[in-house]
Amino acid sequence: MALLLSLLMALVVFSSGLVSSLGCGLFQNHVLVSKNTFMLLGQMRRISPFSCLKDRTDFRFPQEMVEASRVQKAQALSVLHEMLQQIFNLFHTEASSAVWNTTLLEQLLSGLHRQLEDLETCLLQEMGEEGSLLGMQDPTLAMRRYFQGIHLYLQEKKHSHCAWEIVRMELRRCVFVINQFARKIKK
């Protein structure tokens, strides 16, 4: 029991160090909520992905946006915010409500909303430190194009269950990338 308590205390001290090093509390909240988002997207599966193989497509995720080693922190936060906002927008539609379990969908949207609020706070703090929005449009524009492709795909497939399943799997991958990207920002 004492060992468990010591480990928990060490974890709390370590976590608070991470949070203070980031300055806005993003890392701790983001990682916890993103893991939950990833898990919820997994639980939302309603049909087998194998029954939707004919509907697969390459959405052409703009990997260069999250691999850039010299991305300013404000740009990185802007890209994260855009990704989460677009995922929120996809699932916050009438077409989405018709397909997914209402409880899981509400939990997903609530978590995404929390992450967006945290990112907005961090982005405002970072903008004050780094200056203006100049140079931030290009990375977010690439993300907007990527998500526009997903919207068009859903429309072309008439928001079918298989189309949503393919999109769910793509967004699950996207959330995984978001987590990896957030770890890079923290450093």
Side-chain angles (χ1 to χ4, degrees), residues 126-183:
E126 199 62 34
M127 293 302 294
E129 293 172 17
E130 290 187 15
S132 70
L133 287 170
L134 293 176
M136 291 179 57
Q137 291 304 316
D138 289 339
T140 57
L141 186 60
M143 281 299 152
R144 283 186 192 131
R145 279 191 223 121
Y146 165 71
F147 280 98
Q148 182 63 31
I150 292 174
H151 282 282
L152 290 173
Y153 169 80
L154 285 168
Q155 288 174 352
E156 288 171 8
K157 297 289 185 173
K158 298 181 181 7
H159 294 86
S160 71
H161 287 282
C162 272
W164 273 112
E165 179 58 23
I166 297 298
V167 167
R168 182 197 65 81
M169 290 187 311
E170 177 72 10
L171 295 180
R172 200 158 186 242
R173 184 177 78 106
C174 192
V175 169
F176 179 79
V177 171
I178 289 170
N179 286 333
Q180 299 303 310
F181 192 48
R183 285 179 183 13

Side-chain angles (χ1 to χ4, degrees), residues 44 46-49 51-57 59 90-91 93-100 150-169:
M44 288 172 73
R46 299 198 58 177
I47 58 176
S48 170
S51 65
C52 300
L53 291 177
K54 66 183 180 339
D55 292 306
R56 285 184 310 167
T57 190
F59 293 107
L90 272 170
F91 283 104
T93 63
E94 193 173 316
S96 174
S97 297
V99 174
W100 305 114
I150 292 174
H151 282 282
L152 290 173
Y153 169 80
L154 285 168
Q155 288 174 352
E156 288 171 8
K157 297 289 185 173
K158 298 181 181 7
H159 294 86
S160 71
H161 287 282
C162 272
W164 273 112
E165 179 58 23
I166 297 298
V167 167
R168 182 197 65 81
M169 290 187 311

Side-chain angles (χ1 to χ4, degrees), residues 7-23:
L7 288 171
L8 285 173
M9 287 299 290
L11 183 61
V12 167
V13 169
F14 178 71
S15 295
S16 64
L18 288 175
V19 170
S20 64
S21 71
L22 198 59

Side-chain angles (χ1 to χ4, degrees), residues 71-90:
V71 174
Q72 292 179 350
K73 192 172 179 181
Q75 281 183 317
L77 290 171
S78 178
V79 169
L80 279 176
H81 186 273
E82 185 65 31
M83 291 170 77
L84 291 171
Q85 184 66 57
Q86 293 290 337
I87 293 170
F88 182 87
N89 293 345
L90 272 170

